Every structure is written in C-alpha cells, then in structure tokens.
Amino acid sequence: MPQPQPAVQPEPISADPPHRAERTLLTQSWLDLAFLHWAVDPAEVAPLLPAGTVPDTLDGVTYVGLVAFRMHRVGWFRLPGIPYLGSFPETNVRLYSVDGHGRRGVVFRSLDASRLIPVAVGRWAFRIPYVWSRMSVRSEGSTVTYTSSRRWPGPRGARSAISVDVGERVAEPTALEHFLTARWGMHSAFLGRPLYLPNSHPRWPLHRATLLDLDDTLLAAAGLERPLGPPVSVLYSPGVRVRFSGPPRQPSVVGVPRPRGAGVSAVGSRFRPRP
C-alpha cells in the first residue's frame, strides 16, 4: 500500500537548527552518546507514530534508533541545571517523523532512565514514555559500555547492553548521518492533542564507532515487529548542550492522514560481531 505523505514539503535536513529558539523551557546536556540505527520499511512503523505525523524518510527508507547516553544537569527555564536528580544515564528507542507543517522530528517509543523522580515528572507532566531502570555508563580506553535493566512500569526484564569502540572524528557527516542525528524537535501527544517541542544545540561532534556487543530487548518492548539484525549505522558523540523551547504558536493547520496498520509482535534482538 502506498505510504501517506505529509501535506506539505518537509523542511530541509539541516546540521543547524532550522528555527529560531524562543522561550526556554528546559536546558540539559547529552553526553557520551552511542547512536545505533536500523533501516525499516515506513509501513512497519507508521502505526507506532502519534496522530498528525507520518514516518520521515530518506530515499524511501525510515529508521529505528537506539540511543544511549548520559543526561547531565537538566534545568528548568534558564535556571542552573540540577546536579543529582538532573544527571543520569538514559537509553531511548526512537522513530523519525514529519508532521503536517513539514516539521521533522523524533517520536520516542520509550526512554529508560535511572532517576525515579524525573521519570515520574516526564510521564505525568509531559506524557512522555519514560521508564525507571537500573543503568550504567562505563568507559575503558576507547570502549564505552551502556547497560539498562527495566524496573517500572515494565515490561519488567526489558534490557539493553551496548558496547562500542570509538573511532576517528567524522570530518563531514553523510546525508544519512545528518538525517539520523540533526533532529530539531519531538513529536508527541498531550491531552489528546498533537505536541511539538523544538530544541536547539551546536552541531554534533560525531565519531565513527564499531559495535562490539549488543544484547537488547528494548526495541521489542517498544513494539518493533522483528529482529532487525546488525545496525546500518553506529556513531558516537562526546555530546552537546541542549535547549528545549516551549511549544511554538501553531501555523495554519494542515491535515496528515493517519495510516492504518495491524498490531505488531515483540521479539528480542541479539547481535555479536564475529571475532
């Protein structure tokens, strides 16, 4: 079945924020990030997106991302970031979306974090699918290892263990690498209405990375249909300082059809490169 397209042309893919930052809602830093991505058919993930969005594609393909990192000093408005409650490991499963105003963004299927209070605030105040997990981020030489084991609300036992070896700096990211990392907003729903939260930050400092080990069921718990095999892209970044703005004033409403799709089953993914 042909995939519904946005009613307007999506904004250009840009390594820099395409919008002007308005009032600051949140500040935070994302540090020691591992970006793992798999190519998927847009029809597979369209039913997992919120109303008003469709899969964002590059050359007819969309992507599923597993992104592990350290959140550092989350702060409200322009206040100083909180050192303890605002700093914690996080791993998210995300999809790529575009709305009826042409705004590209991400849709979070899950966000595992190790601090219960930020998880509760994210779930209840913003309706973002945060979950509480036991987590760690460890570095040894050029190897970075991320672990996560879900506590609440479940499914209990959902887990992720990622090890990457960090390589050389990326001098000029490819079009795909910009597409996967330069995302300037989040699509969600709040009280039954579409929500878009823009963000801004400096250009990503990206490094090539080699996946050493991956043992993951977070993708399955997030509703992915099948084992995805080895990722098509593995990147690392030391991080950036980020600012989220409040929801922008809505432009003229343009409808985006919501594709229909059958339910999906959940299975785990295991990948270990051959020595």
Side-chain angles (χ1 to χ4, degrees):
M1 179 182 299
Q3 195 61 27
Q5 295 298 311
V8 296
Q9 184 70 20
E11 63 192 4
I13 298 169
S14 171
D16 300 299
H19 44 250
R20 181 174 145 187
E22 298 183 357
R23 61 195 183 283
T24 298
L25 179 65
L26 287 169
T27 60
Q28 53 199 247
S29 292
W30 301 334
L31 305 177
D32 295 324
L33 299 96
F35 296 93
L36 278 60
H37 283 94
W38 291 261
V40 295
D41 188 322
E44 291 187 35
V45 299
L48 304 178
L49 298 180
T53 65
V54 296
D56 194 8
T57 62
L58 182 68
D59 298 328
V61 176
T62 193
Y63 292 83
V64 175
L66 182 66
V67 183
F69 62 102
R70 290 190 300 113
M71 183 78 80
H72 183 64
R73 296 184 74 99
V74 175
W76 289 98
F77 309 112
R78 294 183 179 272
L79 298 174
I82 304 169
Y84 176 74
L85 288 178
S87 300
F88 47 85
E90 181 173 319
T91 299
N92 61 60
V93 176
R94 68 190 202 181
L95 306 176
Y96 294 87
S97 51
V98 61
D99 66 16
H101 309 297
R103 300 174 300 199
R104 300 180 188 267
V106 300
V107 170
F108 292 110
R109 290 294 298 170
S110 65
L111 304 95
D112 286 67
S114 64
R115 295 275 188 267
L116 179 56
I117 291 177
V119 165
V121 171
R123 290 183 68 86
W124 295 328
F126 294 98
R127 303 299 192 267
I128 299 172
Y130 267 106
V131 289
W132 185 33
S133 298
R134 295 181 181 87
M135 307 185 75
S136 68
V137 179
R138 302 188 307 275
S139 297
E140 185 174 346
S142 62
T143 299
V144 187
T145 300
Y146 312 80
T147 63
S148 175
S149 177
R150 192 164 291 178
R151 287 171 156 172
W152 175 86
R156 291 186 64 87
R159 68 190 186 280
S160 183
I162 303 166
S163 289
V164 298
D165 183 67
V166 181
E168 73 278 3
R169 176 79 179 263
V170 178
E172 184 58 44
T174 65
L176 174 60
E177 289 163 348
H178 280 312
F179 179 87
L180 297 175
T181 60
R183 312 300 298 190
W184 304 109
M186 176 188 75
H187 289 118
S188 184
F190 185 75
L191 300 178
R193 301 182 63 182
L195 175 68
Y196 176 78
L197 286 180
N199 70 75
S200 59
H201 58 73
R203 287 193 177 201
W204 283 107
L206 295 173
H207 291 249
R208 307 283 178 213
T210 301
L211 181 61
L212 302 177
D213 190 31
L214 172 64
D215 184 10
D216 177 83
T217 62
L218 299 185
L219 293 167
L224 277 301
E225 182 178 9
R226 55 184 172 79
L228 299 175
V232 298
S233 175
V234 181
L235 296 167
Y236 170 86
S237 176
V240 291
R241 179 73 172 162
V242 184
R243 184 170 77 168
F244 276 89
S245 302
R249 295 183 180 87
Q250 290 295 330
S252 300
V253 175
V254 180
V256 177
R258 175 67 187 270
R260 295 181 179 180
V264 294
S265 59
V267 292
S269 295
R270 175 73 184 177
F271 170 68
R272 185 185 297 275
R274 296 180 180 177

